[in-house]
Structures are given as C-alpha cells and as structure tokens.
Amino acid sequence: LERNPQDAPWWSKLLNLDLRSSSRLLSRTGVSPLLSIGVGALPSVGSTPSVGSSPSIGTAPCVGTPPGVGSSLSVGTVGTVGAMATSRPVVSVYQFDNPSEKKCTLPMPVVLTCGLRPDLVRTVHRDMSKNKRQAYALMKKSGYDTAAESWGTGRAVARIPRVPGGGTHRAGQGAFGNMCRGGGMAHPTVTWRRWHRRLNVKEKRHAVVSALAASTLPPVVMARGHRIGEVAELPLVITDGIESTQKTKQAYEILRKLGCGDELDRVLRSRKIRPGQGKSRNRRYVKRLGPLLVYAEDNGIVRAFRNIPGVETASVDRLNLLRLAPGGKFGRFLIWTESAFKKLNAIYGTLKSGCPLKKNYRLPRAIMENADVARLINSDEVQSVLRPKLDPPKKAVTKKNPLSNPKVMAKLNPGFLKKRLLRKQAHEKGTPEYELVQKAKKARIEESKKYNKEHKKGPNTFYKKLMTAFEAAAAKKIETKDAEEEEEE
C-alpha cells in the first residue's frame, strides 16, 4: 500500500491515515479493546476526575489524562486527526529541595503513552509471585511413628490399628488413619509439586510497560488509594540531587515538600496486625504501600529512603512488576529522577526504533487507531457498503387452547383476566370485592326475612293454603257423593 496509495482501502480515507507518512495514531492513543476506562480529561492532579468527559478534536488532554483511554476520539476532516494531540508533549522537572521551582521540561517518553492491559498485568503478576515460593511438605513418618496394629474382629471395636501397651490413655487409641487423633494426613503434601511458573519474556516486558503507562494517569493512581491531591503533576519528575540524599530525615522532608504528606500519613494509619498464622511467624504487621522512587544511580538514595514506611526504591534498569503493580493492580504512585526519566527512551525507544537495550522487543501497539467505534460504524462510508438488514424468517405460530391458556383467552375475551381476578378477590377477606359480596348477601337475607314475615305466617303460609284448598275440595267431594247416594235411594 505504501508503494500504491491508490489501492488503500476505504477505511484509510475515513480515518485520514496517510499510509506513507502515518504517525501511528493508535500507538499514541494507547486504546486497547481489552480496556475501556471512562476517565476523560482532568483539569489538574488535585481536582476531582470528571468521569466520561470526551475531549474534542484538537484539544490535548490535561495533566495525566490517559492518551486515548476513555476519551471519545472523533473522526474529523482531512488533516484533523493527524494533528490531534493524543498525549502530553512535555513533562516538568522540579527541584528536589524546592518543588515550587521548575528546572526544565522533558519530552514525554513513548513508553508512558502505551496502552493499558490490566489482564496481562494481573496474569504476569500472579505467575511471577509464585516463583519465590519454597517447597514445603509433611514429614514422611508423621502420624505413623507408632507400633499400632489392628485388634481384628470379634471384639466389637473398629478394625483401625490401635496403639499397643497399657497404663496410659494413649494405649488402645486408634492410630494411622486420618480420622484418628494423632493419625496420618489424608493425601499428604509433597515437595515435588509444580511450585514455579515459566513466563514469556515479552509478556513480562509488556506488563511492565503497561504498569509504567498506568502510573502517569491520576485517576488510575487515585483508584489504587494513593493520596496525590497535593502533588504538582503526574508523572512526577525531580532533579538528580535526590539521588545523593544520605539522611532519612532529609528524605522524609523532601517527600513532604513534594506533596506526599497525605500519602505517608495514609501508610502509617494503615498499619494493623496481619490476619492468620503469619502474625506468629515474624511478620506480625501489614501496611499499605506508598510511593516508589525510580532512580538511575544510587548515591545514597536507597539507604536514605529504605526506613520510611511504605516508601520503596527501584533502579530504572531493573524495574520489577511486583513493585510497579502490587497485588496485580497497576497505577502505583511513581517518583522519577531526571536521569531515570531520560533513560526511559534509551531503554524502550520508540515505536519505530524498537528497544535498544532489550533484544528483539518492540513496544506494544494498540489494535484500534480510533476509539470512536460507534461513529465509524454509523458513518456513511461504512453504511454505504453494507448489505441491507435481513428480516428474520417468519415462524409458524403454534395454536394454543384458550381453555387451558389464560393469555390466549385474554386475547379472545379482553375482560377474562380481570373477571377472574375479581372472582378470586371476592373470596379473600379484607378486599373491597369481598366486602361487596358480603353486603349483598346480608341484604338478600334481610329481604328474605321480611318477605317470610309478611307472607309466610298465619293462614297465608303455603302449607295452610294448600291444606285449606285440599279440605275444601274434599268437603265438596263428600257432598257430591252424599247427593248421589240420596238420588239412588
């Protein structure tokens, strides 16, 4: 494509990518499909992060804004995307003994603008932490150091081996079995377990790069719990004079001046007794971790800072993921010396040059060159080449019996469900429908009593009327019979 730009695909024009002079926007945005942190642009380190804000095209994210992470990078007109600032161009260098004074500015190393891979950091940290374990196992004879034998059958006791002898409580007790007191362990531990894990070198380097990039983002650092409200900016770079610090008191004052006082106080407050058996194994207390000082040359800095709780030091030539991302969570608060910060480009290089001091390694590139996937998909260029949406095939509708299916009956008879509910509520005490039914029943009974009192007492009752009519008919019949007999005589 570089030799024949006219053969470039349509999406290269959409993204405004000049294939002959592309600056690899993705490598600077650091957008990764595995991470989407809604961080947005931040006005300063000490302010509250505005979650989900989307910097517009042509504006550079503020101090510590993740280059491209969480920001919605819109696709603009020709020449806009290529000129968009996706990371901070320079970083200020402060005097170590007078942080209010700036010495100079340094260009932002490319390694600090790479994408974030929390999954890779977590995996590499988990496997690396296993490589310092020591083998432990149960003693081979533990639980079996006795001459126990089974008593056999016929004595109404279990056939478990029993301790021989007499005169003590131990005699006759069960032994060897894992269910017995003092017995052997079921499935005992052994020393030939798979204690350590092999890791690919590139995976470890990618994880370190991702942890370094995350340390420049104030929201991620604050999410780890670090107190950086008084820190001037991230990444925090100070002059090389701090490498010659000899006294711990002087080192503590320097950290206070740099705005790390709240962080140091947080570490002191977090000291508590360790849960579990570790408290009796020479590691009784635990505490949170504070800042990590990265230096280029040790002229006393390690000895000066090693006794400050929570503060650790690391050489820029020997950065360890276990220190950059404690617990597998990146975003540790890093303090750089000027020489160490300059050396990052010498160690990791750029995306084009590769890493001079790391053989066969290049910085990871993010897969997407523009994070606004929704706008890409909905653009006219993409939609014009897509097939129209296919309607799903119509499925045969299964005929259902309305007598056994209330929903089907409700379609045929819209008031069916309402009537059934009313009938149900008419039998439940406390409902208005139940009260109406009882009221109607009471009125009906009263009306029946009134009618019976009026029409069913005295000679007006049905039985008496019937008997009166029967007696009249019988008397008439007798008279007729008597009359007939008289005529015959």
Side-chain angles (χ1 to χ4, degrees):
L1 293 179
E2 293 183 358
R3 291 192 296 270
N4 300 313
Q6 66 274 8
D7 296 335
W10 56 267
W11 47 262
S12 66
K13 300 175 184 178
L14 176 65
L15 294 177
N16 187 28
L17 299 177
D18 185 358
L19 296 178
R20 292 169 296 177
S21 61
S22 173
S23 58
R24 299 291 183 181
L25 177 62
L26 180 59
S27 63
R28 292 186 286 130
T29 58
V31 180
S32 172
L34 298 177
L35 180 70
S36 178
I37 300 177
V39 175
L42 297 177
S44 63
V45 175
S47 60
T48 303
S50 57
V51 178
S53 57
S54 301
S56 58
I57 290 180
T59 61
C62 297
V63 175
T65 303
V69 178
S71 304
S72 180
L73 307 177
S74 305
V75 178
T77 57
V78 175
T80 305
V81 176
M84 180 175 58
T86 56
S87 63
R88 295 175 54 204
V90 295
V91 178
S92 302
V93 179
Y94 296 90
Q95 291 288 347
F96 78 99
D97 52 353
N98 186 13
S100 61
E101 180 183 348
K102 292 184 181 180
K103 176 187 175 184
C104 61
T105 57
L106 295 176
M108 174 73 81
V110 180
V111 66
L112 299 184
T113 62
C114 291
L116 307 184
R117 291 290 305 275
D119 57 327
L120 189 60
V121 172
R122 186 167 52 248
T123 301
V124 174
H125 183 279
R126 180 195 63 203
D127 292 343
M128 284 183 64
S129 61
K130 293 180 180 179
N131 291 336
K132 62 181 180 180
R133 295 190 294 179
Q134 292 182 354
Y136 64 89
L138 200 66
M139 190 178 71
K140 202 169 184 179
K141 293 183 61 178
S142 62
Y144 297 91
D145 195 11
T146 182
E149 288 185 2
S150 175
W151 290 356
T153 60
R155 301 182 64 174
V157 293
R159 287 177 282 187
I160 193 74
R162 297 181 181 276
V163 178
T168 65
H169 293 290
R170 180 61 174 156
Q173 290 183 355
F176 295 171
N178 65 307
M179 77 292 294
C180 297
R181 177 178 177 270
M185 175 183 176
H187 313 292
T189 54
V190 292
T191 57
W192 54 84
R193 288 164 62 179
R194 183 169 167 254
W195 299 100
H196 305 93
R197 300 291 185 272
R198 181 190 171 278
L199 282 168
N200 295 333
V201 175
K202 279 190 178 180
E203 278 187 328
K204 291 192 289 186
R205 289 174 176 175
H206 280 340
V208 170
V209 168
S210 180
L212 290 177
S215 67
T216 65
L217 313 179
V220 181
V221 177
M222 293 168 67
R224 275 203 96 255
H226 293 291
R227 305 292 190 265
I228 56 173
E230 302 299 326
V231 178
E233 64 177 86
L234 287 184
L236 181 59
V237 185
I238 55 180
T239 55
D240 292 337
I242 195 172
E243 294 181 351
S244 302
T245 306
Q246 302 294 332
K247 295 293 184 179
T248 303
K249 181 179 180 179
Q250 182 184 0
Y252 186 79
E253 293 176 355
I254 291 174
L255 291 177
R256 285 280 181 182
K257 291 180 181 179
L258 290 173
C260 304
D262 294 342
E263 177 73 358
L264 298 178
D265 295 339
R266 178 186 73 94
V267 173
L268 291 176
R269 289 195 305 268
S270 67
R271 185 173 182 265
K272 60 182 180 180
I273 296 178
R274 178 190 301 270
Q277 284 298 318
K279 65 169 66 72
S280 60
R281 294 174 181 168
N282 202 26
R283 46 181 185 270
R284 186 172 184 80
Y285 296 97
V286 291
K287 61 179 181 300
R288 305 284 82 81
L289 289 177
L292 175 66
L293 273 74
V294 184
Y295 61 89
E297 185 177 354
D298 179 16
N299 294 325
I301 184 173
V302 174
R303 186 180 180 87
F305 284 88
R306 68 183 182 183
N307 202 31
I308 302 178
V311 180
E312 296 178 338
T313 56
S315 174
V316 70
D317 299 314
R318 300 180 298 277
L319 292 175
N320 189 349
L321 183 69
L322 300 178
R323 299 275 63 84
L324 293 175
K329 304 294 191 300
F330 56 36
R332 186 166 186 185
F333 178 28
L334 300 185
I335 301 176
W336 300 85
T337 64
E338 184 179 355
S339 301
F341 200 73
K342 289 179 180 178
K343 206 169 182 180
L344 284 177
N345 271 337
I347 296 175
Y348 292 99
T350 62
L351 293 169
K352 293 184 178 180
S353 66
C355 300
L357 300 183
K358 296 186 182 295
K359 186 178 180 181
N360 298 330
Y361 179 69
R362 285 181 175 273
L363 293 176
R365 294 180 184 272
I367 298 175
M368 298 177 58
E369 297 201 8
N370 194 308
D372 200 350
V373 181
R375 184 166 181 175
L376 291 179
I377 294 176
N378 297 324
S379 62
D380 296 336
E381 289 81 355
V382 176
Q383 295 297 326
S384 62
V385 297
L386 295 179
R387 292 182 290 116
K389 182 180 178 181
L390 298 177
D391 295 330
K394 294 184 179 179
K395 297 182 180 179
V397 180
T398 305
K399 187 176 181 180
K400 299 180 180 180
N401 185 4
L403 297 178
S404 59
N405 195 316
K407 293 184 179 179
V408 177
M409 177 62 80
K411 291 182 180 180
L412 300 176
N413 184 7
F416 168 72
L417 295 178
K418 183 67 175 178
K419 290 180 180 178
R420 190 171 73 170
L421 179 63
L422 292 176
R423 286 198 302 269
K424 180 181 178 182
Q425 293 177 348
H427 296 280
E428 296 178 357
K429 292 184 178 181
T431 58
E433 292 77 8
Y434 180 82
E435 299 296 335
L436 290 176
V437 171
Q438 297 301 320
K439 186 176 181 181
K441 180 179 179 181
K442 186 176 181 180
R444 187 173 65 252
I445 294 174
E446 293 293 335
E447 187 68 22
S448 177
K449 289 181 178 180
K450 181 179 179 182
Y451 178 83
N452 292 340
K453 185 177 182 180
E454 181 179 353
H455 297 90
K456 294 187 177 182
K457 283 190 175 183
N460 295 328
T461 61
F462 174 79
Y463 178 76
K464 290 184 177 181
K465 285 183 178 180
L466 181 64
M467 293 304 295
T468 302
F470 177 77
E471 291 174 356
K476 186 177 180 181
K477 188 175 181 180
I478 293 173
E479 292 177 357
T480 304
K481 187 176 180 181
D482 293 342
E484 291 178 352
E485 291 179 351
E486 291 178 356
E487 289 179 359
E488 290 180 356
E489 292 179 355

